[in-house]
Amino acid sequence: QVQLVESGGGLVQAGGSLRLSCAASGRTFSTYAMGWFRQAPGKQREFVAAISWSGIRTSYADSVKGRFTISRDNAKNTVYLQMNSLKPEDTAVYYCAARNGRVAVNREEYDYWGQGTQVTVSS
């Protein structure tokens, strides 16, 4: 069992930056691939970024490539999402997710989810 708690969301102006954190419980964190998803009002939850258990492999949605960076610190059981050059269309609830396997982009492939953290980007 893995429990995930996101933090770091907030209100920021367009062009600004935020860093989201996801703290995980459980001794097997280092064996899980981790992902970030987001859900805007009236829209489906969509993939943002993912990282392998080792941190070597990463994957990004086209909409965030070059602006967002996912990373992890297995010693701290934490995964991060650094978000730069934020746009109003990045406004959403951001969710952290974990899966016991390879990096994946489909939300159905993730086993554990956090409660989410709100990110609001003003124009």
Side-chain angles (χ1 to χ4, degrees), residues 71-116:
S71 61
R72 67 189 296 162
D73 184 338
N74 287 341
K76 295 183 178 180
N77 279 14
T78 302
V79 63
Y80 304 97
L81 185 68
Q82 178 66 44
M83 305 186 295
N84 298 330
S85 302
L86 282 162
K87 304 175 181 180
E89 51 262 45
D90 294 318
T91 295
V93 177
Y94 282 71
Y95 296 90
C96 173
R99 71 183 303 267
N100 190 3
R102 295 182 176 181
V103 168
V105 302
N106 297 314
R107 61 182 185 272
E108 294 81 6
E109 297 185 79
Y110 284 81
D111 304 306
Y112 304 101
W113 291 85
Q115 293 301 307

Side-chain angles (χ1 to χ4, degrees), residues 16-36:
S17 298
L18 281 174
R19 188 176 81 156
L20 305 183
S21 298
C22 173
S25 65
R27 293 176 293 175
T28 57
F29 170 79
S30 61
T31 65
Y32 282 78
M34 302 296 296
W36 285 98

Side-chain angles (χ1 to χ4, degrees), residues 8-18 83 85-88 90-91 118-123:
L11 174 63
V12 63
Q13 288 188 332
S17 298
L18 281 174
M83 305 186 295
S85 302
L86 282 162
K87 304 175 181 180
D90 294 318
T91 295
Q118 176 71 47
V119 171
T120 303
V121 184
S122 63
S123 57

